[in-house]
Short mmCIF file of all heavy atoms in Angstrom, two decimals:
data_model
loop_
_atom_site.label_atom_id
_atom_site.label_comp_id
_atom_site.label_asym_id
_atom_site.label_seq_id
_atom_site.Cartn_x
_atom_site.Cartn_y
_atom_site.Cartn_z
N GLN A 1 64.60 16.96 66.68
CA GLN A 1 65.50 18.12 66.69
C GLN A 1 65.54 18.69 65.28
O GLN A 1 66.05 18.06 64.35
CB GLN A 1 66.90 17.71 67.16
CG GLN A 1 66.94 17.18 68.58
CD GLN A 1 66.46 18.22 69.58
OE1 GLN A 1 66.96 19.35 69.61
NE2 GLN A 1 65.49 17.85 70.41
N VAL A 2 64.99 19.87 65.10
CA VAL A 2 64.76 20.41 63.76
C VAL A 2 65.45 21.77 63.62
O VAL A 2 65.11 22.72 64.35
CB VAL A 2 63.25 20.56 63.48
CG1 VAL A 2 63.02 21.07 62.06
CG2 VAL A 2 62.53 19.25 63.70
N ASP A 3 66.42 21.86 62.71
CA ASP A 3 67.00 23.16 62.37
C ASP A 3 66.41 23.62 61.04
O ASP A 3 65.53 22.97 60.47
CB ASP A 3 68.53 23.09 62.34
CG ASP A 3 69.06 22.15 61.27
OD1 ASP A 3 68.27 21.70 60.39
OD2 ASP A 3 70.27 21.85 61.29
N LEU A 4 66.92 24.74 60.50
CA LEU A 4 66.33 25.31 59.29
C LEU A 4 66.42 24.35 58.11
O LEU A 4 65.45 24.20 57.35
CB LEU A 4 67.02 26.63 58.94
CG LEU A 4 66.50 27.32 57.66
CD1 LEU A 4 65.02 27.63 57.77
CD2 LEU A 4 67.30 28.59 57.36
N ARG A 5 67.56 23.66 57.97
CA ARG A 5 67.71 22.73 56.85
C ARG A 5 66.66 21.63 56.94
O ARG A 5 65.97 21.32 55.96
CB ARG A 5 69.11 22.12 56.83
CG ARG A 5 69.37 21.21 55.63
CD ARG A 5 70.74 20.56 55.73
NE ARG A 5 71.08 19.84 54.51
CZ ARG A 5 70.61 18.63 54.18
NH1 ARG A 5 69.73 18.00 54.99
NH2 ARG A 5 70.98 18.05 53.05
N ASP A 6 66.52 21.04 58.12
CA ASP A 6 65.54 19.97 58.30
C ASP A 6 64.13 20.49 58.02
O ASP A 6 63.31 19.82 57.38
CB ASP A 6 65.59 19.43 59.73
CG ASP A 6 66.94 18.82 60.08
OD1 ASP A 6 67.56 18.24 59.18
OD2 ASP A 6 67.36 18.95 61.25
N ALA A 7 63.86 21.69 58.51
CA ALA A 7 62.51 22.25 58.38
C ALA A 7 62.14 22.50 56.92
O ALA A 7 60.98 22.29 56.52
CB ALA A 7 62.41 23.54 59.17
N LEU A 8 63.11 22.95 56.10
CA LEU A 8 62.82 23.19 54.69
C LEU A 8 62.79 21.88 53.91
O LEU A 8 61.91 21.68 53.06
CB LEU A 8 63.87 24.13 54.09
CG LEU A 8 63.76 25.60 54.50
CD1 LEU A 8 64.98 26.39 54.03
CD2 LEU A 8 62.48 26.23 53.95
N VAL A 9 63.73 20.97 54.20
CA VAL A 9 63.79 19.70 53.48
C VAL A 9 62.51 18.89 53.70
O VAL A 9 61.93 18.34 52.77
CB VAL A 9 65.03 18.89 53.91
CG1 VAL A 9 64.94 17.45 53.41
CG2 VAL A 9 66.30 19.55 53.38
N ARG A 10 62.06 18.82 54.96
CA ARG A 10 60.88 18.02 55.29
C ARG A 10 59.59 18.87 55.33
O ARG A 10 58.51 18.32 55.54
CB ARG A 10 61.08 17.34 56.65
CG ARG A 10 62.25 16.35 56.69
CD ARG A 10 62.51 15.93 58.13
NE ARG A 10 63.68 15.07 58.24
CZ ARG A 10 63.62 13.73 58.33
NH1 ARG A 10 62.45 13.12 58.30
NH2 ARG A 10 64.72 13.03 58.44
N SER A 11 59.74 20.16 55.17
CA SER A 11 58.60 21.09 55.15
C SER A 11 57.81 21.02 56.45
O SER A 11 56.62 20.70 56.48
CB SER A 11 57.69 20.80 53.95
OG SER A 11 56.94 21.94 53.61
N ASP A 12 58.46 21.41 57.54
CA ASP A 12 57.89 21.30 58.88
C ASP A 12 57.09 22.55 59.25
O ASP A 12 57.65 23.62 59.51
CB ASP A 12 59.02 21.07 59.90
CG ASP A 12 58.50 20.58 61.24
OD1 ASP A 12 57.43 21.05 61.66
OD2 ASP A 12 59.16 19.71 61.84
N ASN A 13 55.77 22.41 59.30
CA ASN A 13 54.91 23.55 59.61
C ASN A 13 55.14 24.09 61.02
O ASN A 13 55.10 25.31 61.26
CB ASN A 13 53.44 23.15 59.48
CG ASN A 13 53.01 22.93 58.04
OD1 ASN A 13 53.72 23.33 57.12
ND2 ASN A 13 51.87 22.30 57.86
N ILE A 14 55.35 23.20 61.97
CA ILE A 14 55.51 23.63 63.36
C ILE A 14 56.73 24.53 63.52
O ILE A 14 56.68 25.56 64.21
CB ILE A 14 55.62 22.40 64.30
CG1 ILE A 14 54.29 21.63 64.29
CG2 ILE A 14 55.99 22.82 65.71
CD1 ILE A 14 54.33 20.34 65.09
N TYR A 15 57.84 24.18 62.86
CA TYR A 15 59.06 24.99 62.94
C TYR A 15 58.77 26.43 62.51
O TYR A 15 59.13 27.39 63.20
CB TYR A 15 60.14 24.36 62.06
CG TYR A 15 61.45 25.12 62.04
CD1 TYR A 15 62.46 24.82 62.93
CD2 TYR A 15 61.66 26.15 61.13
CE1 TYR A 15 63.67 25.52 62.91
CE2 TYR A 15 62.85 26.86 61.09
CZ TYR A 15 63.86 26.54 61.99
OH TYR A 15 65.05 27.23 61.97
N PHE A 16 58.12 26.59 61.37
CA PHE A 16 57.91 27.94 60.84
C PHE A 16 56.82 28.69 61.61
O PHE A 16 56.86 29.92 61.71
CB PHE A 16 57.60 27.87 59.35
CG PHE A 16 58.80 27.46 58.54
CD1 PHE A 16 58.96 26.15 58.12
CD2 PHE A 16 59.80 28.37 58.26
CE1 PHE A 16 60.08 25.76 57.41
CE2 PHE A 16 60.94 28.00 57.54
CZ PHE A 16 61.08 26.68 57.13
N ALA A 17 55.85 27.96 62.17
CA ALA A 17 54.85 28.60 63.01
C ALA A 17 55.51 29.20 64.25
O ALA A 17 55.23 30.34 64.65
CB ALA A 17 53.78 27.59 63.41
N ARG A 18 56.41 28.44 64.87
CA ARG A 18 57.09 28.93 66.07
C ARG A 18 58.05 30.07 65.75
O ARG A 18 58.17 31.05 66.51
CB ARG A 18 57.80 27.77 66.76
CG ARG A 18 56.84 26.77 67.39
CD ARG A 18 57.53 25.53 67.90
NE ARG A 18 58.56 25.83 68.91
CZ ARG A 18 59.29 24.90 69.52
NH1 ARG A 18 59.10 23.60 69.22
NH2 ARG A 18 60.20 25.23 70.43
N GLU A 19 58.74 29.95 64.62
CA GLU A 19 59.72 30.99 64.26
C GLU A 19 59.04 32.32 63.93
O GLU A 19 59.54 33.38 64.29
CB GLU A 19 60.57 30.53 63.07
CG GLU A 19 61.56 29.43 63.40
CD GLU A 19 62.66 29.90 64.36
OE1 GLU A 19 62.79 31.12 64.58
OE2 GLU A 19 63.38 29.03 64.90
N ILE A 20 57.89 32.29 63.26
CA ILE A 20 57.24 33.56 62.91
C ILE A 20 56.67 34.23 64.15
O ILE A 20 56.64 35.47 64.25
CB ILE A 20 56.14 33.37 61.83
CG1 ILE A 20 55.78 34.72 61.20
CG2 ILE A 20 54.90 32.70 62.40
CD1 ILE A 20 54.85 34.63 60.01
N VAL A 21 56.24 33.44 65.13
CA VAL A 21 55.77 34.02 66.39
C VAL A 21 56.91 34.74 67.10
O VAL A 21 56.72 35.80 67.71
CB VAL A 21 55.14 32.94 67.29
CG1 VAL A 21 54.88 33.49 68.69
CG2 VAL A 21 53.84 32.43 66.67
N GLU A 22 58.12 34.20 66.99
CA GLU A 22 59.29 34.85 67.57
C GLU A 22 59.57 36.19 66.88
O GLU A 22 59.98 37.16 67.51
CB GLU A 22 60.53 33.94 67.45
CG GLU A 22 60.54 32.78 68.41
CD GLU A 22 60.62 33.26 69.86
OE1 GLU A 22 61.45 34.15 70.14
OE2 GLU A 22 59.83 32.76 70.69
N ILE A 23 59.36 36.23 65.57
CA ILE A 23 59.59 37.49 64.83
C ILE A 23 58.57 38.54 65.27
O ILE A 23 58.91 39.71 65.48
CB ILE A 23 59.47 37.26 63.31
CG1 ILE A 23 60.54 36.28 62.83
CG2 ILE A 23 59.60 38.58 62.54
CD1 ILE A 23 60.32 35.78 61.41
N GLY A 24 57.31 38.12 65.40
CA GLY A 24 56.25 39.05 65.79
C GLY A 24 55.47 39.54 64.58
O GLY A 24 56.04 39.74 63.50
N ALA A 25 54.19 39.77 64.76
CA ALA A 25 53.30 40.11 63.65
C ALA A 25 53.69 41.42 62.97
O ALA A 25 53.79 41.49 61.74
CB ALA A 25 51.86 40.17 64.14
N GLU A 26 53.91 42.46 63.75
CA GLU A 26 54.19 43.78 63.17
C GLU A 26 55.51 43.79 62.41
O GLU A 26 55.58 44.28 61.27
CB GLU A 26 54.19 44.84 64.26
CG GLU A 26 54.35 46.26 63.71
CD GLU A 26 54.25 47.32 64.79
OE1 GLU A 26 53.80 46.98 65.91
OE2 GLU A 26 54.64 48.47 64.52
N ASP A 27 56.56 43.23 63.02
CA ASP A 27 57.87 43.21 62.36
C ASP A 27 57.82 42.34 61.11
O ASP A 27 58.43 42.69 60.08
CB ASP A 27 58.94 42.69 63.32
CG ASP A 27 59.29 43.70 64.41
OD1 ASP A 27 58.90 44.87 64.25
OD2 ASP A 27 59.92 43.30 65.40
N PHE A 28 57.11 41.22 61.20
CA PHE A 28 57.05 40.34 60.03
C PHE A 28 56.31 41.02 58.88
O PHE A 28 56.75 40.97 57.72
CB PHE A 28 56.34 39.02 60.36
CG PHE A 28 56.37 38.05 59.21
CD1 PHE A 28 57.46 37.21 59.02
CD2 PHE A 28 55.33 37.98 58.30
CE1 PHE A 28 57.51 36.33 57.94
CE2 PHE A 28 55.37 37.11 57.22
CZ PHE A 28 56.46 36.28 57.04
N LEU A 29 55.22 41.67 59.18
CA LEU A 29 54.44 42.33 58.14
C LEU A 29 55.25 43.42 57.45
O LEU A 29 55.24 43.55 56.22
CB LEU A 29 53.17 42.91 58.74
CG LEU A 29 52.11 43.45 57.76
CD1 LEU A 29 51.69 42.38 56.77
CD2 LEU A 29 50.91 43.98 58.53
N GLN A 30 56.00 44.20 58.23
CA GLN A 30 56.82 45.25 57.64
C GLN A 30 57.91 44.67 56.76
O GLN A 30 58.20 45.18 55.67
CB GLN A 30 57.44 46.12 58.74
CG GLN A 30 56.42 46.99 59.46
CD GLN A 30 55.67 47.91 58.50
OE1 GLN A 30 56.26 48.57 57.66
NE2 GLN A 30 54.35 47.91 58.64
N SER A 31 58.54 43.59 57.21
CA SER A 31 59.61 42.96 56.41
C SER A 31 59.04 42.31 55.16
O SER A 31 59.68 42.34 54.09
CB SER A 31 60.34 41.90 57.26
OG SER A 31 61.01 42.50 58.35
N ALA A 32 57.84 41.74 55.26
CA ALA A 32 57.23 41.09 54.10
C ALA A 32 56.92 42.10 52.99
O ALA A 32 56.93 41.75 51.80
CB ALA A 32 55.95 40.37 54.52
N LYS A 33 56.68 43.35 53.38
CA LYS A 33 56.41 44.37 52.36
C LYS A 33 57.64 44.61 51.48
O LYS A 33 57.50 45.06 50.34
CB LYS A 33 55.97 45.67 53.03
CG LYS A 33 54.56 45.57 53.64
CD LYS A 33 54.13 46.86 54.30
CE LYS A 33 52.71 46.73 54.86
NZ LYS A 33 52.25 47.96 55.54
N GLN A 34 58.83 44.29 52.00
CA GLN A 34 60.03 44.40 51.18
C GLN A 34 60.04 43.36 50.05
O GLN A 34 60.77 43.51 49.07
CB GLN A 34 61.28 44.22 52.04
CG GLN A 34 61.63 45.43 52.87
CD GLN A 34 62.03 46.60 51.98
OE1 GLN A 34 61.23 47.50 51.73
NE2 GLN A 34 63.26 46.58 51.47
N PHE A 35 59.21 42.34 50.20
CA PHE A 35 59.08 41.33 49.15
C PHE A 35 57.94 41.67 48.18
O PHE A 35 57.60 40.87 47.31
CB PHE A 35 58.82 39.95 49.76
CG PHE A 35 60.05 39.32 50.36
CD1 PHE A 35 60.44 39.62 51.66
CD2 PHE A 35 60.83 38.43 49.62
CE1 PHE A 35 61.57 39.04 52.23
CE2 PHE A 35 61.97 37.85 50.18
CZ PHE A 35 62.35 38.15 51.48
N GLY A 36 57.38 42.87 48.31
CA GLY A 36 56.36 43.33 47.36
C GLY A 36 54.93 43.05 47.75
O GLY A 36 54.02 43.28 46.94
N PHE A 37 54.70 42.58 48.97
CA PHE A 37 53.33 42.33 49.40
C PHE A 37 52.63 43.65 49.70
O PHE A 37 53.24 44.63 50.11
CB PHE A 37 53.32 41.43 50.65
CG PHE A 37 53.66 40.00 50.34
CD1 PHE A 37 54.99 39.57 50.40
CD2 PHE A 37 52.68 39.09 49.98
CE1 PHE A 37 55.32 38.25 50.12
CE2 PHE A 37 53.01 37.78 49.69
CZ PHE A 37 54.32 37.35 49.76
N HIS A 38 51.32 43.64 49.48
CA HIS A 38 50.47 44.81 49.74
C HIS A 38 50.89 46.03 48.91
O HIS A 38 50.83 47.17 49.37
CB HIS A 38 50.47 45.16 51.24
CG HIS A 38 49.82 44.12 52.09
ND1 HIS A 38 48.47 44.03 52.29
CD2 HIS A 38 50.38 43.09 52.80
CE1 HIS A 38 48.20 43.01 53.08
NE2 HIS A 38 49.34 42.42 53.40
N GLU A 39 51.29 45.78 47.68
CA GLU A 39 51.54 46.89 46.76
C GLU A 39 51.32 46.41 45.33
O GLU A 39 51.29 45.21 45.05
CB GLU A 39 52.94 47.47 46.93
CG GLU A 39 54.08 46.55 46.54
CD GLU A 39 55.43 47.26 46.67
OE1 GLU A 39 55.85 47.88 45.69
OE2 GLU A 39 56.05 47.18 47.75
#
């Protein structure tokens, strides 16, 4: 049973793989640009 704290503390790849799929590729890419990517 893995929540965000567990996933960051133990660095769980599966948790973040599943979570980003929920966000979706297009929405994630647009949000990531707010962090300065692709500029």
Side-chain angles (χ1 to χ4, degrees):
Q1 297 299 307
V2 183
D3 63 12
L4 179 60
R5 184 184 188 282
D6 299 326
L8 287 171
V9 167
R10 297 170 184 260
S11 203
D12 196 321
N13 289 346
I14 294 175
Y15 179 92
F16 290 99
R18 290 172 59 179
E19 289 294 347
I20 197 172
V21 170
E22 286 296 314
I23 298 168
E26 185 176 346
D27 288 345
F28 185 86
L29 189 56
Q30 290 303 312
S31 295
K33 289 180 179 179
Q34 283 295 100
F35 284 85
F37 287 90
H38 294 277
E39 67 177 271

